[in-house]
Amino acid sequence: MRQSGAISELIDALRCLPGVGPKTAQRMTLHLLQRDRDAARRLSEALHDALTKVGLCGQCRTLTESTLCEHCANPARDRSQLCIVESPAEVYAISRATAYKGLFFVLNGRLSPLDGIGPAELGLGALEKRLKEDGVAELILATNTTVEGEATAHYLSDMARRHGIRTTRIAHGIPFGGELEYVDGTTLSHAFDGRKDF
Amino acid sequence: MRQSGAISELIDALRCLPGVGPKTAQRMTLHLLQRDRDAARRLSEALHDALTKVGLCGQCRTLTESTLCEHCANPARDRSQLCIVESPAEVYAISRATAYKGLFFVLNGRLSPLDGIGPAELGLGALEKRLKEDGVAELILATNTTVEGEATAHYLSDMARRHGIRTTRIAHGIPFGGELEYVDGTTLSHAFDGRKDF
Ligand SMILES: [Zn+2]
Ligand SMILES: [Zn+2]
């Protein structure tokens, strides 16, 4: 598509969205500029707004508009249980599907040395400090069942053992290799309740 | 997904993109805010920039950053041939795949009375004025082969006949019901060259 600057800039920018290739980006661009300029305006502003307002929770690293997220700021949550997930989407999935009343810690990734993602990138320094000081009795590992998710679970399990903390892993009712965030609520709820020592 | 204002605003805004449902919008939002804030910033600015700079060509109604698009502003194009398409994507597709040297006219839609899209919405007043005054000898109908695209072609053919202008329709090598913009270049080129009186 031979294009003027601003149009091809927009096509390129849309290609950064997950799952969007060149044809789709072109289709989206024409849709926005031809048929739905209000949506384009709204999307531009929503992006700007979210970038300005949304950051990581200072305690659990989930996405939030406040210094602390709603879970960490809630004194009614059980601080003796800490559930480790890879992404904020999984905090929402578990909160929606289960009766879990503890806290979360979001890795925002998984250990992947080849991609340069080590303990520091996942905030594991702050996590270890918390295991040492914060009265955590059970560390629930809800990383995904991928090779890297499992390796991350083992790393965290070793860390917890050093501090004498019990580690559990949510049960493998979840299809292997599947992404936790897309599992149906019932399966996820059973897997969560059926978690075992790790 | 229970969400703060700015995050759920962004999810909603992304759902206006064609082909993006709630799950995909949530995935895109987390990707942008968690992993690729530069891309989010760039997309916000590209949208704003395109909205500011890109409008319709004053003569052919394709998307352009100038008063006249590159085709209409080019004195070397053959002004006796005028090709009617439904969308700017089809201007690019035909320019890329064929040796066509004439001009284009972009409907930015197709006749669809039930959706309130009539001749005025497609700029057919300006088109008729041009057929009357502008030395057009051949009107090439390249609307899509949908029911509405065919109805639009018939409407335009009647209009051309009133002004004694020859009308052609690109050949149906294109799969019926298919969207012209996604056809491979060879098929499109043959269909264009094999156009017949309509
Ligand atoms: Zn938090
Ligand atoms: Zn033009």
mmCIF file with all atom_site columns, all heavy atoms in Angstrom, chain B residues 82 84 124-139 156-161 163-166:
data_model
loop_
_atom_site.group_PDB
_atom_site.id
_atom_site.type_symbol
_atom_site.label_atom_id
_atom_site.label_alt_id
_atom_site.label_comp_id
_atom_site.label_asym_id
_atom_site.label_entity_id
_atom_site.label_seq_id
_atom_site.pdbx_PDB_ins_code
_atom_site.Cartn_x
_atom_site.Cartn_y
_atom_site.Cartn_z
_atom_site.occupancy
_atom_site.B_iso_or_equiv
_atom_site.pdbx_formal_charge
_atom_site.auth_seq_id
_atom_site.auth_comp_id
_atom_site.auth_asym_id
_atom_site.auth_atom_id
_atom_site.pdbx_PDB_model_num
ATOM 1   N N   . LEU B 1 82  ? -12.421 6.862  -15.804 1.00 0.00 ? 82  LEU B N   1
ATOM 2   C CA  . LEU B 1 82  ? -12.706 7.085  -14.391 1.00 0.00 ? 82  LEU B CA  1
ATOM 3   C C   . LEU B 1 82  ? -13.162 5.761  -13.775 1.00 0.00 ? 82  LEU B C   1
ATOM 4   O O   . LEU B 1 82  ? -14.153 5.167  -14.197 1.00 0.00 ? 82  LEU B O   1
ATOM 5   C CB  . LEU B 1 82  ? -13.801 8.153  -14.241 1.00 0.00 ? 82  LEU B CB  1
ATOM 6   C CG  . LEU B 1 82  ? -14.099 8.626  -12.817 1.00 0.00 ? 82  LEU B CG  1
ATOM 7   C CD1 . LEU B 1 82  ? -12.864 9.237  -12.165 1.00 0.00 ? 82  LEU B CD1 1
ATOM 8   C CD2 . LEU B 1 82  ? -15.229 9.656  -12.836 1.00 0.00 ? 82  LEU B CD2 1
ATOM 9   N N   . ILE B 1 84  ? -14.504 3.614  -10.608 1.00 0.00 ? 84  ILE B N   1
ATOM 10  C CA  . ILE B 1 84  ? -15.247 3.782  -9.355  1.00 0.00 ? 84  ILE B CA  1
ATOM 11  C C   . ILE B 1 84  ? -14.969 2.621  -8.420  1.00 0.00 ? 84  ILE B C   1
ATOM 12  O O   . ILE B 1 84  ? -15.192 1.460  -8.784  1.00 0.00 ? 84  ILE B O   1
ATOM 13  C CB  . ILE B 1 84  ? -16.770 3.814  -9.612  1.00 0.00 ? 84  ILE B CB  1
ATOM 14  C CG1 . ILE B 1 84  ? -17.110 4.748  -10.775 1.00 0.00 ? 84  ILE B CG1 1
ATOM 15  C CG2 . ILE B 1 84  ? -17.521 4.180  -8.337  1.00 0.00 ? 84  ILE B CG2 1
ATOM 16  C CD1 . ILE B 1 84  ? -17.090 6.188  -10.444 1.00 0.00 ? 84  ILE B CD1 1
ATOM 17  N N   . LEU B 1 124 ? -22.368 11.220 -4.995  1.00 0.00 ? 124 LEU B N   1
ATOM 18  C CA  . LEU B 1 124 ? -22.735 11.009 -6.396  1.00 0.00 ? 124 LEU B CA  1
ATOM 19  C C   . LEU B 1 124 ? -23.174 12.288 -7.105  1.00 0.00 ? 124 LEU B C   1
ATOM 20  O O   . LEU B 1 124 ? -23.164 12.352 -8.330  1.00 0.00 ? 124 LEU B O   1
ATOM 21  C CB  . LEU B 1 124 ? -23.811 9.929  -6.505  1.00 0.00 ? 124 LEU B CB  1
ATOM 22  C CG  . LEU B 1 124 ? -23.382 8.549  -5.982  1.00 0.00 ? 124 LEU B CG  1
ATOM 23  C CD1 . LEU B 1 124 ? -24.388 7.487  -6.393  1.00 0.00 ? 124 LEU B CD1 1
ATOM 24  C CD2 . LEU B 1 124 ? -21.977 8.177  -6.469  1.00 0.00 ? 124 LEU B CD2 1
ATOM 25  N N   . GLY B 1 125 ? -23.521 13.334 -6.333  1.00 0.00 ? 125 GLY B N   1
ATOM 26  C CA  . GLY B 1 125 ? -23.811 14.627 -6.944  1.00 0.00 ? 125 GLY B CA  1
ATOM 27  C C   . GLY B 1 125 ? -22.583 15.169 -7.645  1.00 0.00 ? 125 GLY B C   1
ATOM 28  O O   . GLY B 1 125 ? -22.625 15.557 -8.825  1.00 0.00 ? 125 GLY B O   1
ATOM 29  N N   . ALA B 1 126 ? -21.457 15.181 -6.929  1.00 0.00 ? 126 ALA B N   1
ATOM 30  C CA  . ALA B 1 126 ? -20.194 15.663 -7.503  1.00 0.00 ? 126 ALA B CA  1
ATOM 31  C C   . ALA B 1 126 ? -19.776 14.781 -8.674  1.00 0.00 ? 126 ALA B C   1
ATOM 32  O O   . ALA B 1 126 ? -19.255 15.273 -9.688  1.00 0.00 ? 126 ALA B O   1
ATOM 33  C CB  . ALA B 1 126 ? -19.101 15.670 -6.430  1.00 0.00 ? 126 ALA B CB  1
ATOM 34  N N   . LEU B 1 127 ? -20.030 13.455 -8.542  1.00 0.00 ? 127 LEU B N   1
ATOM 35  C CA  . LEU B 1 127 ? -19.656 12.546 -9.629  1.00 0.00 ? 127 LEU B CA  1
ATOM 36  C C   . LEU B 1 127 ? -20.457 12.866 -10.896 1.00 0.00 ? 127 LEU B C   1
ATOM 37  O O   . LEU B 1 127 ? -19.900 12.953 -11.998 1.00 0.00 ? 127 LEU B O   1
ATOM 38  C CB  . LEU B 1 127 ? -19.901 11.091 -9.206  1.00 0.00 ? 127 LEU B CB  1
ATOM 39  C CG  . LEU B 1 127 ? -19.606 10.047 -10.293 1.00 0.00 ? 127 LEU B CG  1
ATOM 40  C CD1 . LEU B 1 127 ? -18.132 10.046 -10.676 1.00 0.00 ? 127 LEU B CD1 1
ATOM 41  C CD2 . LEU B 1 127 ? -20.054 8.658  -9.847  1.00 0.00 ? 127 LEU B CD2 1
ATOM 42  N N   . GLU B 1 128 ? -21.754 13.090 -10.740 1.00 0.00 ? 128 GLU B N   1
ATOM 43  C CA  . GLU B 1 128 ? -22.580 13.367 -11.932 1.00 0.00 ? 128 GLU B CA  1
ATOM 44  C C   . GLU B 1 128 ? -22.134 14.675 -12.605 1.00 0.00 ? 128 GLU B C   1
ATOM 45  O O   . GLU B 1 128 ? -22.065 14.753 -13.833 1.00 0.00 ? 128 GLU B O   1
ATOM 46  C CB  . GLU B 1 128 ? -24.073 13.431 -11.553 1.00 0.00 ? 128 GLU B CB  1
ATOM 47  C CG  . GLU B 1 128 ? -24.969 13.677 -12.765 1.00 0.00 ? 128 GLU B CG  1
ATOM 48  C CD  . GLU B 1 128 ? -26.338 12.995 -12.662 1.00 0.00 ? 128 GLU B CD  1
ATOM 49  O OE1 . GLU B 1 128 ? -26.816 12.802 -11.528 1.00 0.00 ? 128 GLU B OE1 1
ATOM 50  O OE2 . GLU B 1 128 ? -26.920 12.660 -13.718 1.00 0.00 ? 128 GLU B OE2 1
ATOM 51  N N   . LYS B 1 129 ? -21.821 15.676 -11.776 1.00 0.00 ? 129 LYS B N   1
ATOM 52  C CA  . LYS B 1 129 ? -21.321 16.946 -12.308 1.00 0.00 ? 129 LYS B CA  1
ATOM 53  C C   . LYS B 1 129 ? -20.074 16.697 -13.167 1.00 0.00 ? 129 LYS B C   1
ATOM 54  O O   . LYS B 1 129 ? -19.914 17.269 -14.256 1.00 0.00 ? 129 LYS B O   1
ATOM 55  C CB  . LYS B 1 129 ? -20.982 17.870 -11.126 1.00 0.00 ? 129 LYS B CB  1
ATOM 56  C CG  . LYS B 1 129 ? -20.802 19.336 -11.474 1.00 0.00 ? 129 LYS B CG  1
ATOM 57  C CD  . LYS B 1 129 ? -21.148 20.241 -10.280 1.00 0.00 ? 129 LYS B CD  1
ATOM 58  C CE  . LYS B 1 129 ? -20.745 21.689 -10.556 1.00 0.00 ? 129 LYS B CE  1
ATOM 59  N NZ  . LYS B 1 129 ? -19.288 21.929 -10.390 1.00 0.00 ? 129 LYS B NZ  1
ATOM 60  N N   . ARG B 1 130 ? -19.234 15.815 -12.670 1.00 0.00 ? 130 ARG B N   1
ATOM 61  C CA  . ARG B 1 130 ? -17.989 15.511 -13.367 1.00 0.00 ? 130 ARG B CA  1
ATOM 62  C C   . ARG B 1 130 ? -18.267 14.768 -14.682 1.00 0.00 ? 130 ARG B C   1
ATOM 63  O O   . ARG B 1 130 ? -17.610 15.026 -15.691 1.00 0.00 ? 130 ARG B O   1
ATOM 64  C CB  . ARG B 1 130 ? -17.146 14.639 -12.447 1.00 0.00 ? 130 ARG B CB  1
ATOM 65  C CG  . ARG B 1 130 ? -15.707 14.578 -12.848 1.00 0.00 ? 130 ARG B CG  1
ATOM 66  C CD  . ARG B 1 130 ? -14.878 14.228 -11.636 1.00 0.00 ? 130 ARG B CD  1
ATOM 67  N NE  . ARG B 1 130 ? -13.653 13.569 -12.013 1.00 0.00 ? 130 ARG B NE  1
ATOM 68  C CZ  . ARG B 1 130 ? -12.914 12.867 -11.179 1.00 0.00 ? 130 ARG B CZ  1
ATOM 69  N NH1 . ARG B 1 130 ? -13.305 12.729 -9.917  1.00 0.00 ? 130 ARG B NH1 1
ATOM 70  N NH2 . ARG B 1 130 ? -11.790 12.321 -11.590 1.00 0.00 ? 130 ARG B NH2 1
ATOM 71  N N   . LEU B 1 131 ? -19.236 13.874 -14.675 1.00 0.00 ? 131 LEU B N   1
ATOM 72  C CA  . LEU B 1 131 ? -19.579 13.138 -15.894 1.00 0.00 ? 131 LEU B CA  1
ATOM 73  C C   . LEU B 1 131 ? -20.117 14.091 -16.957 1.00 0.00 ? 131 LEU B C   1
ATOM 74  O O   . LEU B 1 131 ? -19.938 13.894 -18.153 1.00 0.00 ? 131 LEU B O   1
ATOM 75  C CB  . LEU B 1 131 ? -20.628 12.058 -15.598 1.00 0.00 ? 131 LEU B CB  1
ATOM 76  C CG  . LEU B 1 131 ? -20.200 10.919 -14.673 1.00 0.00 ? 131 LEU B CG  1
ATOM 77  C CD1 . LEU B 1 131 ? -21.307 9.892  -14.550 1.00 0.00 ? 131 LEU B CD1 1
ATOM 78  C CD2 . LEU B 1 131 ? -18.911 10.263 -15.161 1.00 0.00 ? 131 LEU B CD2 1
ATOM 79  N N   . LYS B 1 132 ? -20.793 15.157 -16.496 1.00 0.00 ? 132 LYS B N   1
ATOM 80  C CA  . LYS B 1 132 ? -21.395 16.128 -17.403 1.00 0.00 ? 132 LYS B CA  1
ATOM 81  C C   . LYS B 1 132 ? -20.325 17.034 -18.027 1.00 0.00 ? 132 LYS B C   1
ATOM 82  O O   . LYS B 1 132 ? -20.397 17.422 -19.170 1.00 0.00 ? 132 LYS B O   1
ATOM 83  C CB  . LYS B 1 132 ? -22.393 16.989 -16.607 1.00 0.00 ? 132 LYS B CB  1
ATOM 84  C CG  . LYS B 1 132 ? -23.643 17.327 -17.375 1.00 0.00 ? 132 LYS B CG  1
ATOM 85  C CD  . LYS B 1 132 ? -24.610 18.219 -16.590 1.00 0.00 ? 132 LYS B CD  1
ATOM 86  C CE  . LYS B 1 132 ? -24.828 17.802 -15.148 1.00 0.00 ? 132 LYS B CE  1
ATOM 87  N NZ  . LYS B 1 132 ? -25.948 18.521 -14.507 1.00 0.00 ? 132 LYS B NZ  1
ATOM 88  N N   . GLU B 1 133 ? -19.304 17.377 -17.226 1.00 0.00 ? 133 GLU B N   1
ATOM 89  C CA  . GLU B 1 133 ? -18.401 18.465 -17.626 1.00 0.00 ? 133 GLU B CA  1
ATOM 90  C C   . GLU B 1 133 ? -16.982 18.037 -17.967 1.00 0.00 ? 133 GLU B C   1
ATOM 91  O O   . GLU B 1 133 ? -16.256 18.790 -18.598 1.00 0.00 ? 133 GLU B O   1
ATOM 92  C CB  . GLU B 1 133 ? -18.310 19.475 -16.459 1.00 0.00 ? 133 GLU B CB  1
ATOM 93  C CG  . GLU B 1 133 ? -19.636 20.132 -16.123 1.00 0.00 ? 133 GLU B CG  1
ATOM 94  C CD  . GLU B 1 133 ? -19.575 20.915 -14.812 1.00 0.00 ? 133 GLU B CD  1
ATOM 95  O OE1 . GLU B 1 133 ? -18.487 20.945 -14.190 1.00 0.00 ? 133 GLU B OE1 1
ATOM 96  O OE2 . GLU B 1 133 ? -20.603 21.485 -14.431 1.00 0.00 ? 133 GLU B OE2 1
ATOM 97  N N   . ASP B 1 134 ? -16.556 16.863 -17.525 1.00 0.00 ? 134 ASP B N   1
ATOM 98  C CA  . ASP B 1 134 ? -15.118 16.678 -17.387 1.00 0.00 ? 134 ASP B CA  1
ATOM 99  C C   . ASP B 1 134 ? -14.476 15.799 -18.464 1.00 0.00 ? 134 ASP B C   1
ATOM 100 O O   . ASP B 1 134 ? -13.334 15.377 -18.305 1.00 0.00 ? 134 ASP B O   1
ATOM 101 C CB  . ASP B 1 134 ? -14.815 16.096 -16.004 1.00 0.00 ? 134 ASP B CB  1
ATOM 102 C CG  . ASP B 1 134 ? -13.642 16.818 -15.351 1.00 0.00 ? 134 ASP B CG  1
ATOM 103 O OD1 . ASP B 1 134 ? -13.311 17.914 -15.830 1.00 0.00 ? 134 ASP B OD1 1
ATOM 104 O OD2 . ASP B 1 134 ? -13.070 16.266 -14.397 1.00 0.00 ? 134 ASP B OD2 1
ATOM 105 N N   . GLY B 1 135 ? -15.179 15.513 -19.553 1.00 0.00 ? 135 GLY B N   1
ATOM 106 C CA  . GLY B 1 135 ? -14.549 14.751 -20.629 1.00 0.00 ? 135 GLY B CA  1
ATOM 107 C C   . GLY B 1 135 ? -14.291 13.292 -20.304 1.00 0.00 ? 135 GLY B C   1
ATOM 108 O O   . GLY B 1 135 ? -13.377 12.683 -20.848 1.00 0.00 ? 135 GLY B O   1
ATOM 109 N N   . VAL B 1 136 ? -15.115 12.710 -19.420 1.00 0.00 ? 136 VAL B N   1
ATOM 110 C CA  . VAL B 1 136 ? -14.968 11.285 -19.118 1.00 0.00 ? 136 VAL B CA  1
ATOM 111 C C   . VAL B 1 136 ? -15.584 10.486 -20.268 1.00 0.00 ? 136 VAL B C   1
ATOM 112 O O   . VAL B 1 136 ? -16.726 10.711 -20.651 1.00 0.00 ? 136 VAL B O   1
ATOM 113 C CB  . VAL B 1 136 ? -15.661 10.922 -17.794 1.00 0.00 ? 136 VAL B CB  1
ATOM 114 C CG1 . VAL B 1 136 ? -15.608 9.414  -17.549 1.00 0.00 ? 136 VAL B CG1 1
ATOM 115 C CG2 . VAL B 1 136 ? -15.032 11.686 -16.633 1.00 0.00 ? 136 VAL B CG2 1
ATOM 116 N N   . ALA B 1 137 ? -14.811 9.530  -20.816 1.00 0.00 ? 137 ALA B N   1
ATOM 117 C CA  . ALA B 1 137 ? -15.298 8.717  -21.926 1.00 0.00 ? 137 ALA B CA  1
ATOM 118 C C   . ALA B 1 137 ? -15.689 7.315  -21.465 1.00 0.00 ? 137 ALA B C   1
ATOM 119 O O   . ALA B 1 137 ? -16.515 6.658  -22.086 1.00 0.00 ? 137 ALA B O   1
ATOM 120 C CB  . ALA B 1 137 ? -14.235 8.627  -23.018 1.00 0.00 ? 137 ALA B CB  1
ATOM 121 N N   . GLU B 1 138 ? -15.050 6.848  -20.405 1.00 0.00 ? 138 GLU B N   1
ATOM 122 C CA  . GLU B 1 138 ? -15.340 5.491  -19.912 1.00 0.00 ? 138 GLU B CA  1
ATOM 123 C C   . GLU B 1 138 ? -15.432 5.504  -18.385 1.00 0.00 ? 138 GLU B C   1
ATOM 124 O O   . GLU B 1 138 ? -14.527 5.988  -17.706 1.00 0.00 ? 138 GLU B O   1
ATOM 125 C CB  . GLU B 1 138 ? -14.231 4.521  -20.340 1.00 0.00 ? 138 GLU B CB  1
ATOM 126 C CG  . GLU B 1 138 ? -14.475 3.097  -19.815 1.00 0.00 ? 138 GLU B CG  1
ATOM 127 C CD  . GLU B 1 138 ? -13.320 2.145  -20.113 1.00 0.00 ? 138 GLU B CD  1
ATOM 128 O OE1 . GLU B 1 138 ? -12.294 2.586  -20.683 1.00 0.00 ? 138 GLU B OE1 1
ATOM 129 O OE2 . GLU B 1 138 ? -13.443 0.958  -19.744 1.00 0.00 ? 138 GLU B OE2 1
ATOM 130 N N   . LEU B 1 139 ? -16.525 4.965  -17.883 1.00 0.00 ? 139 LEU B N   1
ATOM 131 C CA  . LEU B 1 139 ? -16.704 4.818  -16.435 1.00 0.00 ? 139 LEU B CA  1
ATOM 132 C C   . LEU B 1 139 ? -16.500 3.344  -16.104 1.00 0.00 ? 139 LEU B C   1
ATOM 133 O O   . LEU B 1 139 ? -17.277 2.487  -16.549 1.00 0.00 ? 139 LEU B O   1
ATOM 134 C CB  . LEU B 1 139 ? -18.109 5.277  -16.038 1.00 0.00 ? 139 LEU B CB  1
ATOM 135 C CG  . LEU B 1 139 ? -18.354 5.491  -14.547 1.00 0.00 ? 139 LEU B CG  1
ATOM 136 C CD1 . LEU B 1 139 ? -17.609 6.730  -14.059 1.00 0.00 ? 139 LEU B CD1 1
ATOM 137 C CD2 . LEU B 1 139 ? -19.839 5.647  -14.267 1.00 0.00 ? 139 LEU B CD2 1
ATOM 138 N N   . LEU B 1 156 ? -24.948 3.508  -11.041 1.00 0.00 ? 156 LEU B N   1
ATOM 139 C CA  . LEU B 1 156 ? -23.941 4.331  -11.706 1.00 0.00 ? 156 LEU B CA  1
ATOM 140 C C   . LEU B 1 156 ? -24.006 4.170  -13.221 1.00 0.00 ? 156 LEU B C   1
ATOM 141 O O   . LEU B 1 156 ? -23.803 5.128  -13.979 1.00 0.00 ? 156 LEU B O   1
ATOM 142 C CB  . LEU B 1 156 ? -22.540 3.953  -11.201 1.00 0.00 ? 156 LEU B CB  1
ATOM 143 C CG  . LEU B 1 156 ? -22.286 4.301  -9.734  1.00 0.00 ? 156 LEU B CG  1
ATOM 144 C CD1 . LEU B 1 156 ? -21.004 3.629  -9.246  1.00 0.00 ? 156 LEU B CD1 1
ATOM 145 C CD2 . LEU B 1 156 ? -22.204 5.811  -9.547  1.00 0.00 ? 156 LEU B CD2 1
ATOM 146 N N   . SER B 1 157 ? -24.319 2.943  -13.656 1.00 0.00 ? 157 SER B N   1
ATOM 147 C CA  . SER B 1 157 ? -24.441 2.675  -15.083 1.00 0.00 ? 157 SER B CA  1
ATOM 148 C C   . SER B 1 157 ? -25.585 3.487  -15.689 1.00 0.00 ? 157 SER B C   1
ATOM 149 O O   . SER B 1 157 ? -25.457 4.075  -16.765 1.00 0.00 ? 157 SER B O   1
ATOM 150 C CB  . SER B 1 157 ? -24.654 1.178  -15.275 1.00 0.00 ? 157 SER B CB  1
ATOM 151 O OG  . SER B 1 157 ? -25.108 0.894  -16.571 1.00 0.00 ? 157 SER B OG  1
ATOM 152 N N   . ASP B 1 158 ? -26.726 3.546  -14.963 1.00 0.00 ? 158 ASP B N   1
ATOM 153 C CA  . ASP B 1 158 ? -27.855 4.361  -15.426 1.00 0.00 ? 158 ASP B CA  1
ATOM 154 C C   . ASP B 1 158 ? -27.463 5.830  -15.526 1.00 0.00 ? 158 ASP B C   1
ATOM 155 O O   . ASP B 1 158 ? -27.809 6.526  -16.476 1.00 0.00 ? 158 ASP B O   1
ATOM 156 C CB  . ASP B 1 158 ? -29.037 4.226  -14.451 1.00 0.00 ? 158 ASP B CB  1
ATOM 157 C CG  . ASP B 1 158 ? -29.681 2.844  -14.533 1.00 0.00 ? 158 ASP B CG  1
ATOM 158 O OD1 . ASP B 1 158 ? -29.406 2.119  -15.524 1.00 0.00 ? 158 ASP B OD1 1
ATOM 159 O OD2 . ASP B 1 158 ? -30.439 2.490  -13.613 1.00 0.00 ? 158 ASP B OD2 1
ATOM 160 N N   . MET B 1 159 ? -26.729 6.293  -14.517 1.00 0.00 ? 159 MET B N   1
ATOM 161 C CA  . MET B 1 159 ? -26.293 7.691  -14.510 1.00 0.00 ? 159 MET B CA  1
ATOM 162 C C   . MET B 1 159 ? -25.391 7.984  -15.705 1.00 0.00 ? 159 MET B C   1
ATOM 163 O O   . MET B 1 159 ? -25.550 8.993  -16.402 1.00 0.00 ? 159 MET B O   1
ATOM 164 C CB  . MET B 1 159 ? -25.537 7.983  -13.199 1.00 0.00 ? 159 MET B CB  1
ATOM 165 C CG  . MET B 1 159 ? -25.050 9.414  -13.076 1.00 0.00 ? 159 MET B CG  1
ATOM 166 S SD  . MET B 1 159 ? -23.874 9.602  -11.683 1.00 0.00 ? 159 MET B SD  1
ATOM 167 C CE  . MET B 1 159 ? -25.013 9.629  -10.304 1.00 0.00 ? 159 MET B CE  1
ATOM 168 N N   . ALA B 1 160 ? -24.450 7.082  -15.975 1.00 0.00 ? 160 ALA B N   1
ATOM 169 C CA  . ALA B 1 160 ? -23.523 7.288  -17.088 1.00 0.00 ? 160 ALA B CA  1
ATOM 170 C C   . ALA B 1 160 ? -24.271 7.300  -18.424 1.00 0.00 ? 160 ALA B C   1
ATOM 171 O O   . ALA B 1 160 ? -23.985 8.115  -19.305 1.00 0.00 ? 160 ALA B O   1
ATOM 172 C CB  . ALA B 1 160 ? -22.447 6.202  -17.082 1.00 0.00 ? 160 ALA B CB  1
ATOM 173 N N   . ARG B 1 161 ? -25.257 6.378  -18.541 1.00 0.00 ? 161 ARG B N   1
ATOM 174 C CA  . ARG B 1 161 ? -26.017 6.293  -19.784 1.00 0.00 ? 161 ARG B CA  1
ATOM 175 C C   . ARG B 1 161 ? -26.726 7.619  -20.087 1.00 0.00 ? 161 ARG B C   1
ATOM 176 O O   . ARG B 1 161 ? -26.766 8.067  -21.227 1.00 0.00 ? 161 ARG B O   1
ATOM 177 C CB  . ARG B 1 161 ? -27.023 5.136  -19.693 1.00 0.00 ? 161 ARG B CB  1
ATOM 178 C CG  . ARG B 1 161 ? -27.637 4.787  -21.068 1.00 0.00 ? 161 ARG B CG  1
ATOM 179 C CD  . ARG B 1 161 ? -28.493 3.510  -21.031 1.00 0.00 ? 161 ARG B CD  1
ATOM 180 N NE  . ARG B 1 161 ? -27.724 2.370  -20.548 1.00 0.00 ? 161 ARG B NE  1
ATOM 181 C CZ  . ARG B 1 161 ? -28.031 1.684  -19.426 1.00 0.00 ? 161 ARG B CZ  1
ATOM 182 N NH1 . ARG B 1 161 ? -29.095 2.012  -18.712 1.00 0.00 ? 161 ARG B NH1 1
ATOM 183 N NH2 . ARG B 1 161 ? -27.284 0.679  -19.045 1.00 0.00 ? 161 ARG B NH2 1
ATOM 184 N N   . HIS B 1 163 ? -25.679 10.448 -19.624 1.00 0.00 ? 163 HIS B N   1
ATOM 185 C CA  . HIS B 1 163 ? -24.727 11.414 -20.158 1.00 0.00 ? 163 HIS B CA  1
ATOM 186 C C   . HIS B 1 163 ? -23.966 10.855 -21.355 1.00 0.00 ? 163 HIS B C   1
ATOM 187 O O   . HIS B 1 163 ? -22.955 11.406 -21.774 1.00 0.00 ? 163 HIS B O   1
ATOM 188 C CB  . HIS B 1 163 ? -23.747 11.845 -19.055 1.00 0.00 ? 163 HIS B CB  1
ATOM 189 C CG  . HIS B 1 163 ? -24.454 12.508 -17.904 1.00 0.00 ? 163 HIS B CG  1
ATOM 190 N ND1 . HIS B 1 163 ? -24.895 13.812 -17.976 1.00 0.00 ? 163 HIS B ND1 1
ATOM 191 C CD2 . HIS B 1 163 ? -24.851 12.044 -16.695 1.00 0.00 ? 163 HIS B CD2 1
ATOM 192 C CE1 . HIS B 1 163 ? -25.512 14.126 -16.840 1.00 0.00 ? 163 HIS B CE1 1
ATOM 193 N NE2 . HIS B 1 163 ? -25.505 13.070 -16.044 1.00 0.00 ? 163 HIS B NE2 1
ATOM 194 N N   . GLY B 1 164 ? -24.451 9.737  -21.898 1.00 0.00 ? 164 GLY B N   1
ATOM 195 C CA  . GLY B 1 164 ? -23.851 9.144  -23.090 1.00 0.00 ? 164 GLY B CA  1
ATOM 196 C C   . GLY B 1 164 ? -22.443 8.635  -22.870 1.00 0.00 ? 164 GLY B C   1
ATOM 197 O O   . GLY B 1 164 ? -21.619 8.636  -23.788 1.00 0.00 ? 164 GLY B O   1
ATOM 198 N N   . ILE B 1 165 ? -22.160 8.208  -21.649 1.00 0.00 ? 165 ILE B N   1
ATOM 199 C CA  . ILE B 1 165 ? -20.808 7.721  -21.358 1.00 0.00 ? 165 ILE B CA  1
ATOM 200 C C   . ILE B 1 165 ? -20.809 6.201  -21.289 1.00 0.00 ? 165 ILE B C   1
ATOM 201 O O   . ILE B 1 165 ? -21.703 5.590  -20.694 1.00 0.00 ? 165 ILE B O   1
ATOM 202 C CB  . ILE B 1 165 ? -20.303 8.318  -20.027 1.00 0.00 ? 165 ILE B CB  1
ATOM 203 C CG1 . ILE B 1 165 ? -20.114 9.832  -20.188 1.00 0.00 ? 165 ILE B CG1 1
ATOM 204 C CG2 . ILE B 1 165 ? -18.996 7.652  -19.585 1.00 0.00 ? 165 ILE B CG2 1
ATOM 205 C CD1 . ILE B 1 165 ? -19.858 10.548 -18.887 1.00 0.00 ? 165 ILE B CD1 1
ATOM 206 N N   . ARG B 1 166 ? -19.807 5.592  -21.915 1.00 0.00 ? 166 ARG B N   1
ATOM 207 C CA  . ARG B 1 166 ? -19.654 4.140  -21.920 1.00 0.00 ? 166 ARG B CA  1
ATOM 208 C C   . ARG B 1 166 ? -19.325 3.657  -20.502 1.00 0.00 ? 166 ARG B C   1
ATOM 209 O O   . ARG B 1 166 ? -18.521 4.271  -19.806 1.00 0.00 ? 166 ARG B O   1
ATOM 210 C CB  . ARG B 1 166 ? -18.510 3.789  -22.860 1.00 0.00 ? 166 ARG B CB  1
ATOM 211 C CG  . ARG B 1 166 ? -18.207 2.322  -22.954 1.00 0.00 ? 166 ARG B CG  1
ATOM 212 C CD  . ARG B 1 166 ? -16.938 2.105  -23.786 1.00 0.00 ? 166 ARG B CD  1
ATOM 213 N NE  . ARG B 1 166 ? -16.510 0.719  -23.684 1.00 0.00 ? 166 ARG B NE  1
ATOM 214 C CZ  . ARG B 1 166 ? -15.247 0.311  -23.783 1.00 0.00 ? 166 ARG B CZ  1
ATOM 215 N NH1 . ARG B 1 166 ? -14.289 1.212  -23.993 1.00 0.00 ? 166 ARG B NH1 1
ATOM 216 N NH2 . ARG B 1 166 ? -14.950 -0.960 -23.681 1.00 0.00 ? 166 ARG B NH2 1
#
